[in-house]
Amino acid sequence: MTAAASGKRLGRVLVQSGLINQEQLDSALADTSGRSLCAVLVEMKVADEGAIARAIAESMGLPFVDIGAIEIDPTATTMVSVDIARRHMALPIKIQDDELIVALSDPANIFAIDDLRIVTGYDIRPVVAPESDLLQAIERFATMSENVEDMMGGIEGTTDLTAEEVSAGEDAEAPVAKILNHIVTEAIRQGAGDIYIEPGEHDLRVRYRVDGVCQEIMRSPKKIHRQLMSRLKIQCAMDIAEKRIPQDGRFGVVLDGKSVDFRVAVLPTVHGEMSVMRLLRKDAIMMSLEDLGFLEQPMERVMDAIDKPYGALLVTGPTGSGKSTTLYAAINKTTKPTVNLITVEDPVEYRLEGLSQVQVHEKAGLTFAAALRSILRQDPDVVMIGEIRDKETATIAIEAALTGHLVLSTLHTNDAPSALTRLTEMGVEPFLSASAINCVLAQRLARRLCKDCREKYTPDEEALQRIGFPYEPGHPPQLFRAVGCTKCNNIGYKGRMGVHEVMSVTEEIERACVNHASGDEIGRIAVEQGMKTLRDDGFAKVGMGLTSIEEIMRVVV
């Protein structure tokens, strides 16, 4: 079937569906010049690709699929070559009931379906998808497939890498190095926070965590796992012969002029060693407090605490809530040539120029408390403690804050008022902690709505009342919700921001703490004095159109 014949047949379908008229079709067919009819119609702004694909699906009684919103089976994608996929604009997405489900932009192309049936040996069940979405997905899987094929071809008959071979640079162009480089560079470009390499019983899975949500990006034969892990271990200066115990390491890369560090943890599982790589972007820690999504009042309270020459600022929240990023943003505010600033961390995630950073090494006896005691002999103006974990560290930190040092640290609590009671539970006298702490900041990370596809809607008043969303009865607000488009990978969200609860320690809160008040009681006083809770801050950002109610309810208890 020629491109011209295919275009005419497709055009008749679109005219019959009422999406375009005959005059528009004739004009488009006269201007195809080797391009698809769909591309010409989109360029003419007669119809968008989604509408064209839906019209085709409806007229032929076939399902329409959103490629970015469905889970594609990597095994299915490997059943046809990249050349065939590109030629027919077809992507196998799933194997079901002895049939191969294939997404096509033109499902009436019987020659394409016959080719796919012969090549795969499966009966073909067509579904319809927009042409540009298909092309984008085909290219993404093609890149990964080509790398895996190169690697599988190069790996046959080879043995495990040795540290000497790598240090001599003999494997720099090896297939295993290429596949690891591809995994790493794609993670950086997609904005991933973590990379998971997970062996199963029969295959190997690679996932990225983007904006806090895991996405599978690759499955490959299990036989590449051993050499991939050897390569990664050598990159991180780990022992490649040791496969029975967990190991930690790190390495760094520079991509597109930006430096990224990778903190790597290897863990033995029943199917082999799995690895998690945490991406630590240097540009992330150069962010200012203004970039973190603070509203005006919480920002003022944090700045007041940082501007004081002594006292403590505590940042609380669960793992992965952005506490370290906030601490480094606070450090950026206090770093000056006239200020002596020392940090003690476990581990040192970001290595910065101009700071004296101390790495905790508990096996050697360099604990947080031991490092902190020594640091205070260096006459620092500002001390950053990665985490307050025990009574000894807490006591030294509080005493440092009381004796003329500005102390920045983190603590694991669910909200800001609970930080004071947690220190009391650790064994710190309440009158000391209440006097030493200037401010407590609790935070979470919420995903931002994609600006290109977010949808305005009027929520149900009963639902707003149920969650306590502030509004005037009878006049529900106009809010936004997630939809999904190609720019956000059909998730509806792109990027993250902080949701904050900032409690300044006032005289009333000090007295309550000294009297052993509970976290709830301290919280009530703080709210009376104007503190916005995590939920208040989140709802304010929902009202501003930055995120959705569903996202705030997901991240805020």
Side-chain angles (χ1 to χ4, degrees):
M1 183 181 293
T2 66
S6 176
K8 289 179 181 178
R9 178 190 42 71
L10 178 60
R12 286 196 296 271
V13 170
L14 297 177
V15 170
Q16 290 168 4
S17 71
L19 188 65
I20 62 174
N21 58 42
Q22 187 63 45
E23 184 181 345
Q24 290 169 329
L25 173 61
D26 292 341
S27 177
L29 288 174
D31 191 34
T32 52
S33 61
R35 294 177 297 165
S36 69
L37 176 65
C38 176
V40 175
L41 289 171
V42 171
E43 186 178 298
M44 293 171 59
K45 298 184 179 178
V46 172
D48 65 70
E49 284 186 300
I52 293 172
R54 284 185 172 86
I56 294 170
E58 186 176 346
S59 67
M60 299 184 66
L62 296 173
F64 169 84
V65 296
D66 188 336
I67 288 292
I70 61 173
E71 185 174 344
I72 298 174
D73 182 355
T75 304
T77 65
T78 60
M79 299 196 70
V80 299
S81 69
V82 175
D83 288 340
I84 291 176
R86 287 172 178 151
R87 187 188 325 138
H88 296 309
M89 200 57 67
L91 180 69
I93 58 175
K94 194 174 184 181
I95 301 170
Q96 188 175 40
D97 301 328
D98 293 325
E99 290 181 317
L100 184 64
I101 300 175
V102 181
L104 297 128
S105 60
D106 182 8
N109 187 341
I110 57 174
F111 296 104
I113 292 174
D114 284 344
D115 276 357
L116 293 168
R117 183 184 297 114
I118 292 168
V119 168
T120 64
Y122 279 89
D123 287 333
I124 304 300
R125 190 197 307 175
V127 295
V128 187
E131 185 175 307
S132 66
D133 289 358
L134 268 176
L135 183 59
Q136 187 178 4
I138 289 169
E139 293 306 318
R140 186 172 70 247
F141 281 100
T143 303
M144 188 63 74
S145 174
E146 286 164 4
N147 276 278
V148 173
E149 286 173 10
D150 288 346
M151 181 177 180
M152 294 309 298
I155 243 175
E156 299 295 340
T158 64
T159 58
D160 280 347
L161 302 166
T162 67
E164 290 76 16
E165 288 171 341
V166 174
S167 61
E170 293 179 15
D171 78 319
E173 297 300 320
V176 69
K178 290 180 180 178
I179 194 70
L180 182 59
N181 289 343
H182 182 77
I183 291 171
V184 165
T185 55
E186 278 300 302
I188 296 171
R189 287 178 174 142
Q190 291 187 31
D194 299 282
I195 304 171
Y196 301 89
I197 300 177
E198 305 162 305
E201 186 175 359
H202 303 294
D203 59 8
L204 179 70
R205 178 173 70 168
V206 178
R207 293 189 294 166
Y208 295 159
R209 184 182 292 277
V210 181
D211 291 338
V213 179
C214 286
Q215 304 172 10
E216 182 176 317
I217 58 102
M218 169 185 159
R219 278 186 187 267
S220 67
K222 179 74 174 287
K223 56 186 175 182
I224 76 170
H225 172 249
R226 186 178 60 184
Q227 291 205 15
L228 189 61
M229 292 307 299
S230 294
R231 171 70 191 180
L232 180 60
K233 284 181 177 180
I234 292 168
Q235 191 99 349
C236 300
M238 297 181 191
D239 182 356
I240 66 170
E242 182 55 77
K243 297 179 174 63
R244 300 165 298 173
I245 61 173
Q247 296 188 68
D248 296 312
R250 64 189 302 149
F251 67 93
V253 300
V254 177
L255 181 68
D256 301 331
K258 295 182 179 179
S259 177
V260 182
D261 285 338
F262 287 78
R263 196 179 76 204
V264 183
V266 174
L267 178 70
T269 71
V270 292
H271 296 304
E273 292 177 298
M274 73 168 287
S275 171
V276 179
M277 291 181 264
R278 168 68 56 89
L279 281 72
L280 306 170
R281 293 174 175 81
K282 294 287 181 66
D283 55 351
I285 50 147
M286 299 313 293
M287 295 175 70
S288 67
L289 286 170
E290 289 82 2
D291 298 326
L292 300 181
F294 279 93
L295 297 179
E296 185 178 353
Q297 188 232 43
M299 182 65 162
E300 289 176 355
R301 293 186 170 202
V302 172
M303 291 304 299
D304 285 344
I306 293 174
D307 287 340
K308 292 179 179 177
Y310 57 86
L313 168 65
L314 299 184
V315 184
T316 76
T319 301
S321 60
K323 297 189 298 296
S324 295
T325 301
T326 300
L327 277 186
Y328 278 111
I331 284 174
N332 290 336
K333 284 286 186 185
T334 59
T335 302
K336 301 172 187 174
T338 56
V339 172
N340 182 17
L341 197 157
I342 305 177
T343 76
V344 52
E345 305 165 70
D346 182 22
V348 175
E349 292 189 339
Y350 301 99
R351 299 180 181 181
L352 301 175
E353 294 294 329
L355 296 185
S356 299
Q357 295 175 278
V358 179
Q359 168 79 54
V360 167
H361 195 312
E362 295 196 359
K363 289 182 179 178
L366 185 59
T367 61
F368 270 111
L372 193 50
R373 274 195 299 268
S374 180
I375 283 172
L376 293 178
R377 299 189 196 109
Q378 307 295 322
D379 191 26
D381 299 296
V382 182
V383 179
M384 194 272 266
I385 307 166
E387 183 183 345
I388 294 178
R389 297 179 178 175
D390 51 47
K391 177 183 177 181
E392 192 175 8
T393 306
T395 301
I396 299 170
I398 293 300
E399 288 176 353
L402 287 169
T403 54
H405 304 86
L406 179 60
V407 177
L408 310 175
S409 189
T410 69
L411 196 64
H412 284 283
T413 63
N414 288 329
D415 56 21
S418 299
L420 295 173
T421 56
R422 176 61 55 84
L423 290 171
T424 302
E425 290 165 4
M426 284 184 176
V428 179
E429 290 293 338
F431 70 90
L432 290 176
S433 56
S435 301
I437 296 172
N438 296 333
C439 179
V440 183
L441 162 63
Q443 74 175 49
R444 302 288 189 276
L445 287 178
R447 292 178 293 173
R448 289 180 181 268
L449 284 169
C450 175
K451 293 179 181 179
D452 294 293
C453 66
R454 63 179 184 172
E455 177 183 75
K456 185 178 282 189
Y457 76 107
T458 302
D460 180 64
E461 288 195 49
E462 185 180 339
L464 295 178
Q465 290 172 3
R466 189 165 56 248
I467 64 173
F469 191 93
Y471 75 101
E472 184 181 342
H475 299 86
Q478 293 279 298
L479 304 178
F480 289 88
R481 60 187 168 196
V483 177
C485 64
T486 54
K487 291 187 178 179
C488 62
N489 217 9
N490 284 285
I491 296 171
Y493 298 94
K494 192 171 184 180
R496 291 193 288 179
M497 65 181 177
V499 178
H500 307 102
E501 175 179 286
V502 183
M503 183 185 76
S504 297
V505 179
T506 62
E507 290 183 11
E508 292 80 6
I509 291 175
E510 277 190 49
R511 283 197 293 270
C513 184
V514 170
N515 292 329
H516 295 273
S518 68
D520 289 341
E521 292 170 347
I522 294 172
R524 279 194 293 271
I525 296 170
V527 169
E528 289 171 4
Q529 294 180 343
M531 180 185 80
K532 291 184 179 293
T533 65
L534 284 166
R535 185 170 289 198
D536 293 338
D537 193 77
F539 284 162
K541 286 163 182 172
V542 170
M544 295 165 67
L546 299 176
T547 188
S548 66
I549 285 180
E550 293 77 14
E551 180 66 5
I552 294 301
M553 298 306 294
R554 181 182 73 88
V555 300
V556 177
V557 178

